[in-house]
Amino acid sequence: MNKQSNSHGKHLIGGQWVGGTSTFMSDPARGVARAYSVGTPEHVDQACKAAEDAFWTYGYSTRAERTRFLHTIADEIEQRADVITEVGSAETGLPEARLQGERGRTVNQLRLFGDYIQQEGYLDLKHDHPLPDRKPLPRADLRIMQQPVGPVAVFGSSNFPLAFSTAGGDTAAALAAGCPVIVKGHPSHPGTGEIVAEAIHAAIHKCGVHSGVFSFIHSEQHDVGEALVEHPLVCAVGFTGSLVGGRALFNRCAARPVPIPFYGELGSINPIFLLPTAIDRRGVDIAKAWAGSLTLGVGQFCTNPGVAIVPQGAAGDTFTEATMKALSEIGPQTMLNKGIVAAFCRGRDRVAGVAGVSEVLASACEERSATPHLYEATGDVWLENRSLGEEVFGPLGLVVRSSGPEQSIEIARSLEGQLTATLHMEEEDSELASRLMPILRRKTGRLLANGFPTGVEVTEAMIHGGPYPASTNFGATSVGTLSIRRFLRPVCYQNIPEAILPEDLR
Ligand code: NAP
C-alpha cells in the first residue's frame, strides 16, 4: 500500500486526533491529492486551552525531562524516515535527497536543543548577594534566571517542510525552553506535517508529558493563523514565511489588547559584492558557484543570493556571461506550489519592468515549474529603483554593475535589512572591504567572505535573522541555540527564601 494513503487528514488537539466538518484538498507535485480537515478558530481555542493547561506542568518540568522529550521526538521522526521522505517529496516536489538531508538537520536540531539545555548557560543565572550593612540602605538578595514565556504559536514555511515546520527550529526551541506549542500546518505539505505531528504525539505518550504540550492544526485559510496570534493564551509567535504574511500577523500581534512578541523570519535578497581583484582573478569560478547557489532548491531559499554587485569593465562582463552560461544549462525545475510560481512570475515581471533593466537570460515559468532568469542593471538604475531591492522568491539573479568603489558603498547604504551579505575579495581588496564592513554590519544578521549564504549551520554562533524586513525582530535568530531566547523571559527573585526558589536558582 502507498504509505501516503495512511494519511487521515485530522488535527492533533490536546492529544486527540480531531476531524472537521469540511475539508480541503492537498495539491502535491506528484501523486494523489488528499483531503485534510479545515481548521477553525474553535480548534485554535481548544488547542490554546490545552497548551495553557500543559504549561502548568511542562513549564515547570526539569531540564532532564525536556531533554528526554526532545530526544524522543527525534527518535520518533527517524522511525518514520521513509514515509516522511516519500510524502514530503511528493507534496513539495523537492528531491528525496533534499528531504533526507532536511530530516537529518531537523532531528539534529531537536537533539542539539535537548543537550543544550543540560548546561545552565542559557538560564543566565545571576546572584547579587545581599549587603545588609550597606548605607544608606541595605541591598536585598537578588537572583535572576530565564523562564519560559508560556504557549507559543508556530507557523512553518512551504520551502522547509521539516526544518522550519512542524518539529522545526521554532518548535524545538520553544519545547526546550519549556513552552507548549501550537503549530499552524502549512497547506503546501499537510501530509508531511501530519506524520511529524504523529511522531511528536508518540513521544508525548512515551515520555508521559501533558498531552496539551503540542497541537497541530491543518488549514489553508488565514482565519486559523489570525485566531492563533490573537488568542489571549498565546504568549509568543515563531513565524517563517513571506514578508506580506509575516507583516500582517505581526500587526495583529501588536494590535492585541495584550501585545505579544512576533518573531518573523521573512525574506531577503542576500547581496553579494564582488570586489575588483577577486573578480579579476576568480570571476568565472564565482559566477559558476553563484549560479549553483541561486538555483539551489529552485531558488526557494530565504538565503538565496539574488543580487550580485559587480564592477563595470571587462571582468564584470565576463562574470555576467559566465553566469548566464551556467544558468542556461539548468532546465525547468518543480517549484513548491502554484502560488509560489505565480508570485515568482510577478516578481520577474516587476524586475523586468524597471526602465534600464536588461534581460540577460530569458526564461520560462508556468503552472508548477520555472527555469532560471538573469537580469542586469547599472548601479544608477539600482539606486533610483528601490523596488529592485525586494525579494523575488525563486531562481532569479540580478547583476548590478557598479561604476566604482564609491558607488558600491552607496549601493551598500541603500540596502534594506538582510539575512546575509557576502564579500568576494582578495587581500588587495581589503581597503574597500573594510569600508563596506561597517555599513553591511548595520544591514545584516550574517556577514560572509568568499562563500555563499545558502546553507545555514545550526550551531551556537549562528544568527539567522537581521534588521527588518529580513526579520521583525533584529535581536533574535531562528537558527542555532541562541534562538531559545525568543521563548524565555528573565524573572528576578528578591529575598525569596531558598526553599521556594526554582530549583536552578537554589
Ligand atoms: P507564506 O505564504 O507567508 O506562508 C507561511 C505561513 O503563514 C502559512 O502557514 C500561511 O498560511 C501563513 N500566512 C501567510 N499570510 C498570512 C496572513 N495574511 N494571515 C494569516 N496567516 C498567513 O510563506 P511561504 O510561501 O510558506 O514561504 C516562502 C517565504 O518564506 C519566502 O518569502 C521566504 O523567503 C520566506 N522564508 C524565510 C525564511 C527565514 O528564515 N527568514 C526561511 C524560509 C522561508 P495560509 O496561507 O494557509 O493561511
Side-chain angles (χ1 to χ4, degrees), residues 202-275:
I204 286 173
H205 276 286
K206 277 198 176 154
C207 297
V209 175
H210 189 296
S211 58
V213 85
F214 177 83
S215 290
F216 172 84
I217 305 175
H218 288 290
S219 164
E220 54 149 14
Q221 286 163 12
H222 290 348
D223 60 343
V224 164
E226 291 167 359
L228 195 49
V229 301
E230 288 180 347
H231 199 285
L233 293 174
V234 168
C235 296
V237 182
F239 174 94
T240 305
S242 63
L243 173 59
V244 173
R247 184 62 204 235
L249 293 170
F250 171 88
N251 289 347
R252 283 181 183 269
C253 286
R256 288 168 45 125
V258 179
I260 54 169
F262 177 87
Y263 297 101
E265 292 299 331
L266 314 175
S268 194
I269 56 166
N270 306 295
I272 61 172
F273 288 79
L274 282 83
L275 304 197

Side-chain angles (χ1 to χ4, degrees), residues 17-336:
W17 290 101
V18 179
T21 47
S22 58
T23 57
F24 70 93
M25 297 305 288
S26 65
D27 187 14
R30 296 190 308 274
V32 190
R34 297 187 182 271
Y36 292 89
S37 299
V38 173
T40 63
E42 288 69 40
H43 292 129
V44 170
D45 187 50
Q46 289 159 16
C48 291
K49 285 176 174 154
E52 173 66 13
D53 277 352
F55 187 65
W56 289 107
T57 48
Y58 192 73
Y60 301 82
S61 57
T62 65
R63 291 184 278 127
E65 285 164 347
R66 297 201 297 282
T67 298
R68 181 172 170 237
F69 182 41
L70 289 160
H71 279 257
T72 309
I73 295 172
D75 296 344
E76 291 292 332
I77 289 174
E78 275 181 342
Q79 281 183 25
R80 292 160 177 79
D82 291 345
V83 67
I84 288 173
T85 301
E86 182 185 323
V87 174
S89 179
E91 287 191 323
T92 61
L94 295 169
E96 293 205 344
R98 156 73 196 275
L99 264 294
Q100 284 156 358
E102 201 180 312
R103 189 186 68 247
R105 177 189 166 130
T106 306
V107 296
N108 288 345
Q109 219 160 235
L110 286 156
R111 291 186 179 122
L112 176 76
F113 273 110
D115 296 341
Y116 181 64
I117 58 171
Q118 282 302 302
Q119 305 147 31
E120 288 178 343
Y122 84 98
L123 292 170
D124 286 346
L125 301 174
K126 304 263 182 333
H127 186 180
D128 293 329
H129 291 273
L131 300 174
D133 300 328
R134 193 181 69 172
K135 301 286 184 237
L137 290 172
R139 185 174 81 185
D141 181 274
L142 298 167
R143 304 181 202 215
I144 194 173
M145 75 173 284
Q146 298 283 353
Q147 303 281 14
V149 293
V152 166
V154 169
F155 292 72
S157 69
S158 56
N159 60 332
F160 282 97
L162 300 171
F164 280 95
S165 270
T166 314
D170 288 347
T171 298
L175 291 177
C179 300
V181 169
I182 306 121
V183 169
K184 189 271 184 202
H186 201 294
S188 231
H189 51 256
T192 316
E194 187 179 292
I195 301 164
V196 176
E198 280 170 359
I200 301 176
H201 190 211
I204 286 173
H205 276 286
K206 277 198 176 154
C207 297
V209 175
H210 189 296
S211 58
V213 85
F214 177 83
S215 290
F216 172 84
I217 305 175
H218 288 290
S219 164
E220 54 149 14
Q221 286 163 12
H222 290 348
D223 60 343
V224 164
E226 291 167 359
L228 195 49
V229 301
E230 288 180 347
H231 199 285
L233 293 174
V234 168
C235 296
V237 182
F239 174 94
T240 305
S242 63
L243 173 59
V244 173
R247 184 62 204 235
L249 293 170
F250 171 88
N251 289 347
R252 283 181 183 269
C253 286
R256 288 168 45 125
V258 179
I260 54 169
F262 177 87
Y263 297 101
E265 292 299 331
L266 314 175
S268 194
I269 56 166
N270 306 295
I272 61 172
F273 288 79
L274 282 83
L275 304 197
T277 310
I279 196 166
D280 275 348
R281 291 198 191 142
R282 302 184 277 117
V284 171
D285 290 342
I286 300 171
K288 287 181 190 160
W290 184 42
S293 184
L294 200 58
T295 53
L296 196 69
V298 206
Q300 300 164 119
F301 280 117
C302 49
T303 47
N304 188 23
V307 173
I309 296 95
V310 171
Q312 282 172 5
D317 295 345
T318 305
F319 173 84
T320 304
E321 177 79 21
T323 307
M324 190 268 284
K325 190 165 176 303
L327 291 177
S328 62
E329 287 162 9
I330 298 168
Q333 292 174 290
T334 306
M335 295 190 80
L336 290 159

